[in-house]
Amino acid sequence: MKIAFYSLLAFFCAGSPRAQGTIRSDRLRVAKVEPSPSTRPNKWQRAQIARKYGMFIHFGINTFCDEEWTDGTRPPSVYHPSGIDAEQWIATAKAAGMKYVILVTKHEDGF
């Protein structure tokens, strides 16, 4: 049963074109597909637009290094949150009339 499943999986993965890039195999070559910009927002973009005003919080290892960018080599011991009042962050956002908060905890540094 496993052999049949993995054989089918390999068959469909090898034969399915991807949105971008060129697929090369012994049997198949699919031309590169160039993305085209949309002329109007999709339903997910419209939902985000309807939320209007919100906040992005980027909170990660860089917060504790007093640096905007790090290269991912910081030791995990540097990340030591203490005395954080996340409720105050949300209260401030609500007081400002924000409709959403997005918390980003992993970013370019990969932490």
Side-chain angles (χ1 to χ4, degrees), residues 21-88:
T22 301
I23 299 172
R24 291 187 179 115
S25 82
D26 295 338
R27 300 175 295 144
L28 177 69
R29 182 178 167 97
V30 177
K32 187 173 184 177
V33 177
E34 292 295 325
S36 60
S38 62
T39 57
R40 56 181 182 248
N42 63 34
K43 69 179 183 177
W44 296 282
Q45 291 167 326
R46 287 193 305 272
Q48 182 63 29
I49 291 167
R51 290 182 191 103
K52 300 203 183 237
Y53 185 52
M55 177 191 298
F56 281 80
I57 300 172
H58 288 251
F59 186 82
I61 200 162
N62 296 351
T63 306
F64 302 95
C65 298
D66 196 25
E67 294 181 59
E68 186 173 352
W69 304 100
T70 58
D71 61 3
T73 59
R74 297 285 185 188
S77 59
V78 174
Y79 185 82
H80 186 66
S82 61
I84 295 169
D85 188 359
E87 289 181 10
Q88 185 265 337

